[in-house]
Amino acid sequence: MPDGAVKRRVRVGVVGVGKMGLSHLAIVRALHDVELVGVVDSTDYLLDVLNKYTGASTFSTLEKMLTEAQPEAIIIATPTGSHAALVRSALERGVHVFCEKPLTLSATESAELVALAAEKELVAQVGYHNRFIATFQEVKRLLDQNAIGRVTHVLAEAYGPVVLKAKGSTWRSKRTSGGGCLYDYAAHPLDLMHWYLGAPDRVRGSVLNSIFSADTDDEVYSTLDYADGLSVQLSVNWSDESYRKMSTSVTMSGSQGRIIADRQEIRVYLRESADIPDGYQAGWNIKYTTELTEQVSFYLRGEEYSAQLETFIAAVLAGEIEARQNSFASAAQTDRVIEWILEDSADRSETGTLTALPTAPQKRSLFGRRKSA
């Protein structure tokens, strides 16, 4: 950049200032490539506090912010049930969108938003932050190198202490606003599976149980089947007080080894006959997130939260027309499988039998894995 030249900054608005919204707000205020032009929330008290102590312009509706502040991009962190209408409004106005996960509570609505974002040539990204965690990125790199051969079985898990009593529920534990454990928790490991393996051909044996919630599920179990015999066991419970905070993990078994990964570390076992990647050896290997994670410009809660927003902003600055990672298209794929699990669970509880679900054919790679969106 020539001396004296002014670096362009992306005009960004934040919609929703709950837990995730406040995190995103803090991060974008710290990014050098961002100018915060507005904050939207339905709670007047929160807006008054933000305006008083940060100087941020505040608005009671998205439409007011879009008209008066004219952001180039917005971050949506409202209850999931409100996503579809807010995302659509922004896209129709030509605004790039980063939306918290899941994209919507309807696979049909998600598909419509995918088409709209593509038509408008806008960067449209969803906040599946696990794809920005270094250990899970290393899993992807090893799979792409065929390090453990043909993947034959996967255990995808997520546990945490979100709902631990019958009273005091929030929007997350209501089916119509948050979607329950299936949409809020199981979506994370499901998204990782789509990133690693592509879409399954069907789901079966799905069980959704309520432990404390009166309106929705607190634990989810299901089997995802792939055409080549690969199966994924999904095990998720957000009413597990044995965990201090959310824990997501994957265990991947292959013909040449095994990968076990969570937020903190990745353990890899490779057979002598495996095609061993650089930096690894036959037998057990262990790498920690501290040695794998690249530095970000601002740390809050975890590098992954800044990394995903930095990626979003970089794509907007570069004039790109689609997300570099976590696109609406890949998020819509997750939403579709979530609906399969819901339908499968309902069919089993009503009839005791499994109703066949539609297939989702995928392109295959040289090593028999499906290519994800």
Side-chain angles (χ1 to χ4, degrees), residues 21 41-42 105 125 132 161-162 186 204 207 210 216 239 257 265 314 320-321 324-325 364:
D41 199 85
S42 59
L105 296 177
Q125 183 176 327
F132 292 87
V162 175
R204 59 184 171 86
V207 177
S210 173
T216 191
S239 296
E265 64 183 31
E320 296 172 14
I321 61 173
R324 297 178 178 182
Q325 183 62 272
R364 304 184 67 81

Side-chain angles (χ1 to χ4, degrees), residues 146-184:
N146 200 38
I148 62 169
R150 185 173 71 88
V151 179
T152 57
H153 182 71
V154 179
L155 175 61
E157 302 174 274
Y159 307 107
V162 175
V163 180
L164 297 180
K165 56 183 179 180
K167 295 182 179 180
S169 64
T170 67
W171 63 265
R172 280 187 170 82
S173 57
K174 296 178 181 178
R175 173 66 65 193
T176 56
S177 57
C181 179
L182 175 59
Y183 279 90
D184 197 65

